[in-house]
Amino acid sequence: MFKVTIKETQNPTIIKFEFPDFITRNQNFEFKNIDETKASPLAKKLFFLPFVKTVYISGNFIAVERFSIVEWSDVQNEVAKMIEEYVESGATIINMEETSVKKVPVTVYGETTPNPAVMKFVASRMLTKTPVECKNIDETAVSPLAKELFGFRYVKEVFIDENNVSITKYDVADWSEITNEVRSFIKTFIEDGKIAVDEEQVVKTVAHEQKQDEYFDNLDVTSQQIINILEEYVKPAVQSDGGNIAFESYNDETKLVKVVLQGACSGCPSSTFTLKNGIENMLRQMLHNNDI
């Protein structure tokens, strides 16, 4: 008898139903409503349940996001049974004929940044909820897109945040020679339905943990104030330039604030000036503390 295993995730609204074998390989599917389920009769069937918000199919599992009208503890066994009965009937989970011709409409354009080594590529679709920085191919476990980008000999680092990809290049090539190639590659990658960032892997990272309410609540008051200032006044500016700034720590004894610069801001010739004369002065003024 076919059985699925019920697994909780870091997100309490999402639960995974794991299969003993792969459902699909090298492809990931996300269905936000019943109109998008042409490629998956099983996803369509799940949307007949009134509490189903989103269906994800990847590797050896189906993940379902619920609306808040129910708790998973009340319905997860019934959903598991529905999936088991569906699979045992021999019905199709993914219709590969539909997926092979399906393209995800997307536009991608390039933007220069204050860092001459970095180009920012902006997509018309969300790529990740948590910033992901990969300084080499060994750090690409969470990002299939970054892993493939490192296949280009001139790619030095990759930073992905929300709907954009910032790429740091080696000096072996000029942006005037390679921008169109990179832009076309990213566009095709997304259009083919591939995922830029694996959110299941992201939840295991420190960057994701630091975005959670529990992490923020356990910090001291000054650290919380610093994070709020960075989020409201600093981050929008550095994000527009293809970078990111993340709070790392605050020492109440030494009054030392440590932040991490990512993407275009990392290694940027103007980053030292930005930190010293911009962010540091802002924190001193807004926290009324000249010792920072």
Side-chain angles (χ1 to χ4, degrees):
M1 181 178 179
F2 179 84
K3 294 289 292 183
V4 298
T5 303
I6 301 172
K7 293 285 185 68
E8 295 181 352
T9 70
Q10 295 283 342
N11 187 334
T13 66
I14 299 176
I15 205 160
K16 290 170 63 175
F17 300 92
E18 291 190 352
F19 288 57
D21 201 356
F22 283 93
I23 311 168
T24 177
R25 294 181 184 271
N26 303 319
Q27 283 185 292
N28 302 277
F29 304 91
E30 179 178 349
F31 307 101
K32 292 186 176 297
N33 55 64
I34 198 169
D35 294 332
E36 297 180 357
T37 58
K38 189 175 182 180
S40 176
L42 175 53
K44 182 176 182 179
K45 185 178 181 65
L46 288 169
F47 272 108
F48 285 117
L49 301 173
F51 53 84
V52 171
K53 182 179 181 181
T54 310
V55 177
Y56 309 89
I57 300 179
S58 177
N60 70 327
F61 69 85
I62 295 175
V64 181
E65 181 180 12
R66 63 170 173 80
F67 287 108
S68 58
I69 58 175
V70 298
E71 295 294 332
W72 273 122
S73 57
D74 297 327
V75 297
Q76 62 187 32
N77 290 331
E78 287 76 7
V79 176
K81 184 177 180 181
M82 174 189 292
I83 294 173
E84 290 168 352
E85 291 177 347
Y86 181 91
V87 174
E88 286 185 337
S89 73
T92 301
I93 299 175
I94 293 290
N95 186 339
M96 298 309 296
E97 292 183 359
E98 293 292 342
T99 63
S100 62
V101 298
K102 183 179 180 180
K103 289 285 185 179
V104 179
V106 65
T107 57
V108 177
Y109 65 88
E111 287 184 355
T112 57
T113 75
N115 188 339
V118 179
M119 180 72 76
K120 175 183 175 182
F121 296 89
V122 184
S124 58
R125 294 178 61 89
M126 180 67 72
L127 303 177
T128 181
K129 298 175 184 177
T130 303
V132 172
E133 183 176 41
C134 305
K135 291 187 174 294
N136 55 63
I137 196 169
D138 294 331
E139 298 180 355
T140 58
V142 302
S143 176
L145 173 56
K147 184 174 184 178
E148 294 201 22
L149 283 169
F150 276 108
F152 294 100
R153 65 184 180 88
Y154 47 76
V155 172
K156 183 179 180 181
E157 298 177 13
V158 179
F159 175 71
I160 306 175
D161 188 14
E162 295 184 350
N163 68 328
N164 60 82
V165 183
S166 295
I167 296 177
T168 306
K169 70 173 182 63
Y170 287 107
D171 293 335
V172 296
D174 294 326
W175 280 119
S176 60
E177 302 168 342
I178 61 176
T179 296
N180 286 336
E181 180 181 33
V182 176
R183 186 193 67 80
S184 297
F185 176 83
I186 294 173
K187 184 176 186 295
T188 300
F189 183 96
I190 301 171
E191 285 179 337
D192 287 344
K194 300 178 181 179
I195 59 169
V197 174
D198 185 348
E199 298 291 345
E200 288 292 323
Q201 294 296 322
V202 169
V203 298
K204 304 174 184 178
T205 64
V206 174
H208 181 269
E209 179 184 339
Q210 292 177 340
K211 291 177 70 69
Q212 305 308 302
D213 292 339
E214 293 84 356
Y215 174 83
F216 183 84
D217 292 341
N218 288 328
L219 294 173
D220 60 88
V221 174
T222 303
S223 294
Q224 293 178 345
Q225 291 174 329
I226 292 170
I227 290 176
N228 288 333
I229 292 171
L230 294 177
E231 290 286 332
E232 184 172 356
Y233 297 101
V234 181
K235 184 170 287 189
V238 297
Q239 283 183 321
S240 67
D241 287 336
N244 186 50
I245 185 168
F247 172 81
E248 183 172 292
S249 65
Y250 168 70
N251 188 311
D252 190 47
E253 293 183 2
T254 63
K255 308 300 181 185
L256 180 67
V257 178
K258 290 185 179 182
V259 297
V260 177
L261 295 177
Q262 298 173 311
C265 296
S266 178
C268 178
S270 62
S271 61
T272 300
F273 177 84
T274 300
L275 281 172
K276 187 70 178 177
N277 296 282
I279 300 171
E280 181 178 335
N281 288 339
M282 179 184 294
L283 291 175
R284 283 178 171 174
Q285 292 173 9
M286 300 189 75
L287 293 173
H288 306 293
N289 190 341
N290 291 326
D291 295 328
I292 286 179

